């Protein structure tokens, strides 16, 4: 695989919760239209790291961050308005979290906030986003029904459609299939494979088989540090660090 254009770069990123250091000198290059997987044992900093990429950690009062995060060569802490940043860098969480409103209104929510008022335009965005999330055929006849009536897997795809509706460039996914059954998980994995044609995707996963199946590159986190970051096939077939090999072969974690 050739190296694509650099989309996100972190440079000596450190994050502290009060006195506890959760990230230590994390330097990672995330390339455009690739899937980058973050693996490692629980509590190693994966979710903390992914949340720095759209400043979700800003919501935690005890957090202090040093180092830099760049999106398209601009520093996200100094050169981006946070609303614009979160439009460009969307987030899908571990547990599906649809709003308690209709399927249609869930998807139209973001575009409305960003000023889209035309009904025909909203209709088009809702249809396109649901199609992109491989959900349209299942819900097109019940768009006015409450989204909470959908199955778990459908709810997660609806949350992906909701992110896509504001036309992001990057989609962050924090263990998006951990609460889902195997069939729903497979649908989301197939979807991720399609979405990388248009989007840069960063996914936290506990499932190493999943990382192996869907990602182009993998970063292995341990105790808040990136031990190794390489093409996924290298990480899984010939890791350069003994700790990576021990984790992948199940010796710990």
């Amino acid at each position: 695989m050739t190296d694509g254009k650099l989309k996100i770069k972190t440079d000596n990123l450190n994050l502290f919760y009060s006195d506890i250091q959760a990230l230590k000198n994390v330097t990672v290059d995330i390339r455009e239209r690739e899937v980058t997987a973050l693996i490692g044992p629980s509590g190693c900093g994966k979710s903390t790291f992914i949340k720095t990429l759209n400043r979700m950690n800003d919501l935690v009062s005890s957090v202090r961050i040093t180092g830099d995060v760049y999106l398209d060569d601009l520093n996200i802490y100094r050169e981006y308005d946070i609303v614009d940043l979160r439009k460009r860098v969307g987030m899908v969480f571990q547990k599906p979290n649809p709003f308690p409103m209709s399927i249609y209104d869930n998807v139209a929510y973001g575009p409305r906030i960003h000023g889209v008022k035309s009904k025909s335009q909203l209709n088009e965005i809702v249809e396109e986003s649901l199609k992109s999330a491989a959900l349209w055929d299942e819900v097109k006849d019940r768009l006015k029904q409450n989204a909470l009536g959908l199955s778990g897997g459908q709810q997660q795809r609806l949350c992906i459609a909701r992110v896509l509706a504001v036309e992001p460039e990057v989609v962050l996914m924090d263990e998006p299939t951990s609460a889902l059954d195997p069939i729903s998980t497979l649908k989301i994995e197939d979807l991720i494979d399609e979405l990388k044609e248009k989007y840069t995707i960063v996914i936290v996963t506990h499932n190493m088989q999943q990382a192996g199946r869907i990602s182009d590159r993998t970063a292995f986190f341990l105790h808040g540090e990136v031990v190794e970051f390489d093409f996924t096939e290298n990480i899984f077939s010939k890791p350069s660090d003994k700790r990576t090999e021990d984790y992948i072969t199940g010796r710990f974690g």
Side-chain angles (χ1 to χ4, degrees):
M1 190 191 345
T2 55
D3 280 356
K5 174 175 170 275
L6 197 58
K7 188 68 182 172
I8 295 175
K9 178 178 180 60
T10 70
D11 193 16
N12 285 325
L13 182 65
N14 296 281
L15 183 142
F16 301 83
Y17 294 112
S18 298
D19 299 332
I20 298 163
Q21 187 166 5
L23 295 176
K24 299 168 189 169
N25 295 320
V26 175
T27 298
V28 169
D29 290 352
I30 293 166
R31 302 199 173 268
E32 195 168 66
R33 295 183 190 173
E34 286 187 6
V35 179
T36 301
L38 313 178
I39 64 168
S42 292
C44 67
K46 307 182 298 290
S47 290
T48 299
F49 173 72
I50 204 171
K51 286 176 186 159
T52 62
L53 304 182
N54 71 343
R55 291 178 54 184
M56 288 291 284
N57 293 311
D58 286 19
L59 303 169
V60 183
S61 59
S62 62
V63 160
R64 181 168 61 84
I65 292 173
T66 65
D68 298 297
V69 182
Y70 299 95
L71 172 65
D72 291 334
D73 297 328
L74 294 176
N75 189 303
I76 70 167
Y77 286 91
R78 292 198 288 272
E79 298 175 275
Y80 274 100
D81 166 71
I82 196 149
V83 175
D84 180 45
L85 176 69
R86 295 221 178 116
K87 181 178 185 294
R88 294 178 66 182
V89 184
M91 182 101 181
V92 177
F93 296 92
Q94 182 170 357
K95 199 166 178 293
N97 59 343
F99 303 137
M101 53 178 74
S102 74
I103 294 166
Y104 182 99
D105 287 339
N106 262 274
V107 184
Y109 185 87
R112 281 178 175 142
I113 281 181
H114 291 287
V116 178
K117 299 216 170 26
S118 151
K119 182 73 175 147
S120 62
Q121 197 180 346
L122 284 170
N123 289 347
E124 193 177 315
I125 291 169
V126 168
E127 181 172 342
E128 282 309 307
S129 303
L130 287 167
K131 280 179 174 169
S132 295
L135 190 58
W136 174 252
D137 289 340
E138 293 167 50
V139 302
K140 63 186 178 193
D141 299 325
R142 47 178 178 147
L143 295 176
K144 296 289 178 242
Q145 291 179 15
N146 194 309
L148 300 179
L150 296 172
S151 71
Q154 289 173 325
Q155 287 187 14
Q156 192 63 301
R157 279 180 284 146
L158 178 64
C159 293
I160 292 170
R162 193 173 66 194
V163 166
L164 300 182
V166 297
E167 300 184 333
E169 296 160 32
V170 180
V171 179
L172 309 176
M173 298 184 167
D174 192 358
E175 295 201 52
T177 62
S178 66
L180 304 180
D181 62 85
I183 290 170
S184 299
T185 294
L186 202 57
K187 280 187 175 167
I188 302 264
E189 287 184 8
D190 289 344
L191 178 56
I192 289 168
D193 204 45
E194 288 168 30
L195 291 176
K196 76 171 184 182
E197 305 273 318
K198 281 180 69 178
Y199 306 95
T200 302
I201 297 172
V202 185
I203 179 169
V204 170
T205 178
H206 261 110
N207 182 330
M208 281 185 285
Q209 288 78 17
Q210 181 173 71
R213 283 193 297 266
I214 65 172
S215 68
D216 300 289
R217 295 173 206 259
T218 296
F220 170 52
F221 277 74
L222 189 62
H223 307 312
E225 297 179 71
V226 174
V227 170
E228 193 167 347
F229 181 48
D230 200 348
F231 290 116
T232 297
E233 61 199 77
N234 294 343
I235 291 279
F236 284 96
S237 62
K238 42 178 190 287
S240 60
D241 191 293
K242 178 80 168 62
R243 292 168 295 174
T244 311
E245 186 182 337
D246 286 350
Y247 180 69
I248 283 165
T249 53
R251 291 198 186 98
F252 74 91

